[in-house]
């Protein structure tokens, strides 16, 4: 059972530019994280974009839906910034492609020592292997269906809407 | 849906004693790891023992079975050394308690920088929330039923027997 | 031989705010770094300000000179952002207080895993114990007198002017 | 001013073998640590041996003295296990070669996250650049002449004998 991992950027992959003190995107760290986790899951990683999810446009989301449809795999993990993760999940959820799609991300960049990224990637890969078709968000060790999840802006945690 | 986490020790929780250069067990790091992962899963952590799984006796395994039976929760994660994880899984599997029990561990201690522990804990918590009753081993991002798993001593990875 | 450590902020002490994805200052990490280095040097740490050195004003620099003069200790380490470290060093150098003053900093925040901060703090503490009165910059394992040092903006490394 | 770094092993360079759970030596991490510290000191690294200092013999110490004598450089840092660091320092001190030689080490392996190694390497490199000819131990941010230093076995810290 091969799993496709689509990378879109987000906090997960942010790095610190030591020359100007700004945060930036270079390459994705997902393959390095899979190696660190000694993952033996059959995965194929592809980078769709490397952006802050606050900068993600409707066109970007259409591209994500299209790539999920095109992918040979029926099980897909998408790494995504947390700020608009629920928006992309909803677009994917309404597109209803009959696949199991799990979005995940991180509150702290993987390269910054105390990141939740490895925990989230481990849980996302597990959820995508076991859940029925549908679109989900895996954050904080939990998994939410796309139509009942929101990010609590005050705490930074994901929770049910109702 | 509350989840019980039973700690038994293993590489997961080994530390380096800077006074004599030996590896030792002190407290479990599982609560710290749940905090790092920003886990919002409803979990209760209890330490049953803090030992290398090569030192685990039949009595220890009986105690684990007994504690799993006694626990109020129907979903249980057990952190365990990888060397005899499949033995304990088999004892639990044969006891057939009608609960979802997931054993997990690490190849590198959590405190040693490049550990797979956080990845494994994330995946174990996800598998235990989604799988039907049974006993499983969650390692390397994958999940194996107790009666079809072995640790490959040469590679250190878990794999199906057949 | 007591050593005074004055904290002024800089990359050294920057942290990642997981709620808005910005870098910010909270408390200094210098005491934590001294603990990690198992330092037994007799040091007193005091925070003068917590700012990016690009925001440091002439008044701020006057305050630093004043505090160095007031300090009981004859040996002083100052943690400082690298962008204007040479400017503050020159102001201190011209004030000529007859003390050994060593400025140091970091290219990567201490909290971001791959920081040079601990290396620099170790070298600054060693230089301040051994050098004669004067004002110096300790970066990249080297030590430069205040009137013959500049930061190479392209490489991020410190070097002699002539 | 070129500086020779002789590697002899010690806690500094210990690694965790994930296949058998034992500590072992592979390659030295000193070059990686110099890169992390963004060192621009002119250094040449050579590995003399990779052993626990409890296993160091009189012949090993003779070899170290010989290599220090042979080295073109007048300033030498030696990485060494802390358990017998004072013994090797005394052998070097009595050999009286007219060079500045600084021994340093670590209480926690560099690869194990919370190591003091980077701090010690930074301070050793600074001490070796500034101290007059002689043999010293640089640990805990301090520097001790070879004939007035001992490791306190209870605390793991280095201190004066008198």
């Amino acid at each position: 059972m091969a799993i496709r991992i689509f990378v879109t950027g987000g906090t997960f992959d942010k790095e610190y530019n030591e020359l100007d003190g700004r945060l930036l995107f270079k390459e994705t760290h997902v393959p390095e994280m899979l190696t660190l986790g000694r993952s033996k899951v059959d995965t194929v990683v592809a980078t769709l974009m490397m952006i802050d999810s606050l900068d993600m446009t409707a066109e970007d989301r259409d591209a994500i839906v299209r790539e999920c449809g095109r992918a040979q795999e029926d099980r897909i993990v998408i790494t995504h910034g947390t700020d608009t993760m629920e928006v992309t999940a909803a677009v994917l959820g309404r597109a209803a492609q009959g696949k199991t799609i799990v979005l995940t991300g991180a509150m702290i960049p993987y390269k910054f020592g105390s990141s939740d990224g490895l925990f989230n990637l481990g849980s996302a890969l597990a959820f995508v292997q076991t859940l029925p078709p549908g679109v989900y968000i895996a954050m904080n060790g939990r998994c939410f269906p796309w139509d009942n999840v929101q990010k609590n802006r005050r705490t930074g945690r994901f929770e049910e809407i109702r």
Side-chain angles (χ1 to χ4, degrees), chain A residues 4-8 28 30-31 44-49 67 77 79:
Chain A
R4 168 71 58 164
I5 302 180
F6 281 134
V7 173
T8 73
T28 179
V30 168
V44 186
V45 180
T47 300
L48 298 186
M49 54 199 82
E67 292 293 333
V77 168
T79 67

Side-chain angles (χ1 to χ4, degrees), chain A residues 3-161:
Chain A
I3 293 165
R4 168 71 58 164
I5 302 180
F6 281 134
V7 173
T8 73
T11 296
F12 228 70
D13 274 330
K14 277 185 187 162
E15 297 189 42
Y16 185 81
N17 182 346
E18 64 179 89
L19 289 185
D20 67 6
R22 299 237 171 81
L23 300 170
L24 84 169
F25 292 107
K26 288 196 279 196
E27 296 287 301
T28 179
H29 301 100
V30 168
E32 182 183 337
M33 294 166 76
L34 293 171
T35 301
L36 183 60
R38 278 105 180 126
S39 173
K40 296 294 281 179
V41 182
D42 182 11
T43 49
V44 186
V45 180
T47 300
L48 298 186
M49 54 199 82
M50 279 297 258
I51 59 175
D52 191 308
S53 80
L54 289 173
D55 299 327
M56 195 176 278
T57 64
E59 286 70 39
D60 291 328
R61 294 198 167 89
D62 288 346
I64 294 172
V65 171
R66 206 162 48 236
E67 292 293 333
C68 287
R70 266 187 203 160
Q72 289 188 321
E73 297 81 5
D74 286 332
R75 299 178 185 272
I76 299 171
V77 168
I78 301 174
T79 67
H80 196 289
T82 60
D83 283 317
T84 69
M85 194 184 281
E86 61 209 60
V87 179
T88 304
V91 172
L92 279 161
R94 287 193 205 99
Q97 298 171 315
K99 299 189 173 189
T100 302
I101 300 177
V102 176
L103 292 90
T104 194
M107 295 305 291
I108 297 267
Y110 170 67
K111 292 305 267 183
F112 291 6
S114 59
S115 175
D116 51 335
L118 197 62
F119 180 83
N120 292 341
L121 185 61
S123 75
L125 276 175
F127 283 127
V128 85
Q129 291 176 72
T130 49
L131 288 172
V135 176
Y136 309 87
I137 282 180
M139 286 292 291
N140 308 125
R142 304 180 62 197
C143 199
F144 306 87
W146 67 270
D147 56 357
N148 190 19
V149 58
Q150 63 188 357
K151 182 177 171 184
N152 181 322
R153 307 285 148 185
R154 193 178 49 75
T155 63
R157 303 298 179 258
F158 282 77
E159 57 192 26
E160 289 91 353
I161 294 174

